[in-house]
Amino acid sequence: MTSIHRRRETLPAMLLLAPFLVAFLLFFLVPALQTFWLSLTDSSLTRTSAFVGLANYATLVQDPSFWAALGNTFYFSLLTVVPLTVLGLVMALLVDRFTRAGAWLQGAFFLPFVLPISVMTLIADWMLQPTSGVVNYLLGMQRAWFADVHWAMPMVAIGTIWWTVGFNMLMFLAGLRNIPRELYEAAALDGARGFALFRHITWPQLRPVAWTALVLQLIASLKIFGQTYIMTTGGPYNTTRVTLHYMYETAFTQSDAGYAAAIATAFVIVVVLLSLLQGWIARRVGGRP
């Protein structure tokens, strides 16, 4: 009877999981395996050539353009991951604090996130125009931000933060509203006020949300492509050419599909390793299970 009962419980679960498993198999696992196989060949976009083993990976290790693009990707992640998480938390606290204007603040903070990337880049380009841009007008200068080797990537990062911070704000806001009010009432009876409430109640309750936001932002930042491709096309002097941009150029401009597949495979390994490292740090520092 126990076995029959377990089958009756397992069958609906398997039926519910089946569409996801089929989609995962067809649209992720099979293409990933094909990409890895392609990386072991000397193929172009229009022909499949002979098996070359790990030759593409040996070339990749000695390719300065790949390491430069990977460094630019890490630089962009450094400029965006922590600021996006901290700003999302601050915005959520503001929305939760100002209850009367909370709906307006929430809409204003989240509105940029619904914009398509083409609109976001147009707004950023307009604001950063050397002669007619709002930023240069306020600062009293005529700097070509996207043509400056020192400022191009930070400007792309600032535009990305403005565009995507609304998603983190919603995550933290959901976490804030799941904190039991009884905790604050009990702390208030004990005389806790202001920052003490945040330190001893709010932050410990939000810590899992913060780690989740950090992991999601790290993965999203490492996958950057559209912002730099549209706003700077990788310039000036390739200072904003990131890894996916380099892979795209290798595949579709140089028609070297085998080497581009090797770049993609190596980059996936880097992203997975960094995500695992971040999860390990979260467990060691944050006490996550």
Side-chain angles (χ1 to χ4, degrees), residues 70-89:
L70 191 62
N72 291 335
T73 307
F74 288 154
Y75 181 41
F76 175 80
S77 301
L78 182 68
L79 292 173
T80 54
V81 173
V82 174
L84 272 168
T85 306
V86 173
L87 280 176
L89 174 61

Side-chain angles (χ1 to χ4, degrees), residues 87-284:
L87 280 176
L89 174 61
V90 172
M91 288 177 172
L93 291 171
L94 287 174
V95 172
D96 191 59
R97 174 75 175 175
F98 298 103
T99 52
R100 290 187 177 179
W104 290 97
L105 283 175
Q106 184 176 338
F109 291 155
F110 188 72
L111 183 62
F113 187 72
V114 303
L115 297 175
I117 188 172
S118 55
V119 175
M120 185 279 283
T121 53
L122 280 175
I123 293 173
D125 185 61
W126 172 72
M127 293 190 69
L128 296 171
Q129 279 290 316
T131 55
S132 58
V134 176
V135 174
N136 277 330
Y137 175 77
L138 294 175
L139 297 177
M141 57 176 62
Q142 293 188 349
R143 185 187 297 274
W145 299 94
F146 289 136
D148 189 312
V149 294
H150 301 295
W151 283 103
M153 187 62 89
M155 288 300 108
V156 174
I158 291 173
T160 303
I161 291 171
W162 169 77
W163 181 39
T164 60
V165 71
F167 178 76
N168 282 351
M169 182 269 297
L170 280 188
M171 288 183 60
F172 281 114
L173 191 60
L176 278 172
R177 291 180 176 172
N178 279 328
I179 299 175
R181 294 297 159 187
E182 292 81 4
L183 294 177
Y184 292 106
E185 293 170 1
L189 290 176
D190 291 336
R193 297 287 187 277
F195 186 71
L197 290 174
F198 175 82
R199 180 183 176 188
H200 296 291
I201 296 178
T202 305
W203 176 244
Q205 296 290 320
L206 285 181
R207 192 179 294 159
V209 180
W211 282 115
T212 303
L214 281 172
V215 171
L216 293 177
Q217 284 305 324
L218 176 65
I219 296 172
S221 296
L222 291 174
K223 293 192 305 179
I224 179 180
F225 173 68
Q227 297 96 305
T228 56
Y229 185 74
I230 296 174
M231 285 195 273
T232 64
T233 61
Y237 305 108
N238 293 330
T239 52
T240 60
R241 185 172 68 174
V242 292
T243 308
L244 294 185
H245 189 174
Y246 182 52
M247 182 193 69
Y248 175 85
E249 286 184 348
T250 304
F252 296 101
T253 303
Q254 303 172 19
S255 190
D256 192 348
Y259 191 58
I263 296 173
T265 304
F267 188 59
V268 168
I269 293 172
V270 170
V271 172
V272 170
L273 290 177
L274 284 176
S275 301
L276 292 175
L277 176 64
Q278 192 177 30
W280 180 79
I281 293 174
R283 286 191 294 273
R284 299 283 294 183

Side-chain angles (χ1 to χ4, degrees), residues 7-35:
R7 287 181 187 174
R8 287 178 179 175
E9 288 186 343
T10 305
L11 184 60
M14 295 301 296
L15 290 175
L16 289 173
L17 285 173
F20 167 76
L21 293 175
V22 172
F24 180 81
L25 183 69
L26 291 178
F27 299 110
F28 179 78
L29 189 58
V30 172
L33 292 175
Q34 287 182 329
T35 301

